[in-house]
Amino acid sequence: MHKNRVPAGIVSALGLTQIIGYGTLYYSFSILAPGMAADLGLTLAEVFGVFSASLFIGGLSATYVGRQMDRIGAATVMTIGSVLAALTLALCAWSPSIAIFAVAIILLEISSGMVQYQAAFAALVESDPRSASRSITYLTLIGGFASTIFWPISAALSGYLSWREIYLVFAGLNLFLCMPLHYWIMRVGKTAVNVDPAVRTRETVVGAVAPHARRRGMILVSFAFALLGFTLAAILAHMVPMLGSIGLGAAAVVIGSLFGPAQVLSRLINMIFGKSLSPPALAVLSAVLIVLGVLILLATGNWLPGAVAFAICLGLGSGINSIAQGSLPLYLFGSNGYGEVTGKMAAARLAVGAGAPFVFAAAMEHIGLNFALIANACLGAISIAAFVAVAASSRMEPKIAANNT
């Protein structure tokens, strides 16, 4: 009866905080980076180097953050994370030296792990494990608009304010909008648990992977997501200049802009028609679409329809991949310890993905674009094989079990 119930209020609140979280802590950086470089006396490459290092260190912190979600609750971690995000944005805005700026950017990335998808997915699993997979789909649909909203907002604000002043505005958004919403979700969760001590039986999801195969399954899934994350991050970091370099000129920007809407479209399609697809099947499909996009670009070169198909396939695959990152661990390993499981996977994915832009740039320079794309497609193909192996080893459906709390 409650199988498809979705906690709409919590999903809506998290949707708003994800748009602000990704918009202020991630997407705005590429718009504001030139101003940061000029102000601090750095090259643009050096500013992005600091950002890459922060992504790597943020990835390493994901396992610890995940454990804390299991220990004190994901919504509690998100509430603390919103305050930390606001403080580090303010620190970044104040930073009088390159050293303090670098520390602030690293702290910013650590706080990102406390408020973005990894934490939001865990909060949904805590709220209602039974409907979490559907809730994750709804949430990623809303969150997919972060770049669409914050790229133009950041660009518009930069016409009137310095990057430091913009970061202070963003600090206010995290402190006065996101923090109260995360605190409300935390209070709702605690109230639900403590309302009636006589009714404290909570349903949990028991994973499809047998306990003795859990460690092997986690390694395989982490490996698959890390490889696919590398494939995607390498392309995305260079997509517009790469398309321009093969002769698409000004059209490269327009083609690149198709990626975001395609991400949202894939989540909408999955929300409406994807009920019959299991999370392992979604993971395989996301990897196939991303690799297919790379192969289309390889085959069609500067042919405009081919480049359009490449951007759309990449966006569709990326959109489904975001859903799979939340729903596949729940499906395979269950809701108990979900925060730590997803934390370990995020650590592997982010640590590997942090080096992707640099490695792909070096590959393009030394072996040429075509061979770099072939190598990238091969890594993606390995991730497909890994996800297929995961799907084959998890034929058993997850079960709902009562857990007395």
Side-chain angles (χ1 to χ4, degrees):
M1 174 168 79
H2 301 291
K3 188 178 179 182
N4 292 317
R5 182 163 59 85
V6 174
I10 290 175
V11 172
S12 301
L14 286 174
L16 179 58
T17 68
Q18 291 309 286
I19 288 173
I20 294 171
Y22 275 97
T24 60
L25 304 175
Y26 183 76
Y27 287 115
S28 65
F29 190 87
S30 61
I31 305 293
L32 303 179
M36 294 172 180
D39 185 19
L40 295 164
L42 297 170
T43 66
L44 195 57
E46 286 169 339
V47 170
F48 276 102
V50 171
F51 190 57
S52 290
S54 75
L55 288 172
F56 179 77
I57 295 168
L60 296 181
S61 71
T63 301
Y64 175 78
V65 171
R67 283 200 201 102
Q68 297 313 304
M69 287 179 205
D70 288 333
R71 192 172 71 84
I72 63 173
T76 305
V77 169
M78 295 185 85
T79 305
I80 297 166
S82 294
V83 176
L84 181 60
L87 291 174
T88 50
L89 281 165
L91 177 64
C92 206
W94 170 76
S95 56
S97 68
I98 294 168
I100 293 175
F101 171 79
V103 169
I105 292 294
I106 289 168
L107 289 173
L108 206 60
E109 194 53 41
I110 292 170
S111 69
S112 296
M114 298 170 71
V115 298
Q116 292 176 346
Y117 275 155
Q118 178 200 345
F121 294 162
L124 290 173
V125 169
E126 282 177 16
S127 171
D128 188 351
R130 298 163 297 173
S131 67
S133 287
R134 297 296 295 161
S135 299
I136 286 167
T137 302
Y138 287 112
L139 179 62
T140 56
L141 177 66
I142 301 168
F145 290 100
S147 61
T148 309
I149 293 169
F150 269 87
W151 273 337
I153 284 177
S154 301
L157 286 175
S158 62
Y160 301 94
L161 304 172
S162 70
W163 71 269
R164 294 177 186 270
E165 291 166 333
I166 293 169
Y167 262 13
L168 286 176
V169 172
F170 288 170
L173 287 176
N174 279 276
L175 187 60
F176 298 116
L177 261 179
C178 295
M179 192 275 285
L181 287 171
H182 291 152
Y183 181 77
W184 170 74
I185 294 168
M186 179 184 77
R187 297 304 303 166
V188 166
K190 287 184 177 176
T191 303
V193 169
N194 296 319
V195 162
D196 184 358
V199 190
R200 294 181 65 181
T201 299
R202 179 184 178 220
E203 288 185 340
T204 60
V205 175
V206 179
V209 170
H212 69 271
R214 185 181 174 92
R215 180 176 171 79
R216 186 181 66 211
M218 281 183 58
I219 292 171
L220 188 58
V221 175
S222 299
F223 172 75
F225 275 128
L227 270 191
L228 192 61
F230 182 97
T231 301
L232 189 59
I235 297 289
L236 287 180
H238 301 283
M239 187 153 79
V240 173
M242 178 182 71
L243 292 173
S245 72
I246 61 175
L248 288 163
V253 177
V254 178
I255 294 164
S257 69
L258 295 173
F259 173 82
Q263 273 199 120
V264 174
L265 178 64
S266 70
R267 294 163 184 170
L268 183 61
I269 292 170
N270 180 68
M271 189 176 76
I272 298 169
F273 302 110
K275 292 179 183 177
S276 59
L277 282 178
S278 68
L282 280 177
V284 172
L285 179 60
S286 72
V288 167
L289 283 166
I290 289 168
V291 173
L292 179 62
V294 176
L295 294 176
I296 287 172
L297 186 65
L298 264 170
T300 59
N302 62 359
W303 187 50
L304 188 61
V308 168
F310 150 75
I312 290 173
C313 275
L314 209 66
L316 292 173
S318 175
I320 296 171
N321 185 48
S322 296
I323 299 169
Q325 284 171 18
S327 61
L328 185 59
L330 177 64
Y331 179 93
L332 294 175
F333 309 115
S335 54
N336 286 334
Y338 179 86
E340 183 175 2
V341 169
T342 54
K344 287 177 179 177
M345 290 183 184
R349 187 179 72 253
L350 293 171
V352 170
F358 171 77
V359 172
F360 192 72
M364 286 192 292
E365 186 178 334
H366 292 101
I367 63 175
L369 176 58
N370 280 355
F371 283 111
L373 287 172
I374 289 168
N376 209 32
C378 288
L379 290 177
I382 295 170
S383 74
I384 294 173
F387 281 130
V388 168
V390 168
S393 64
S394 61
R395 294 301 170 86
M396 181 182 73
E397 284 291 316
K399 296 188 289 289
I400 303 295
N403 178 38
N404 292 315
T405 57

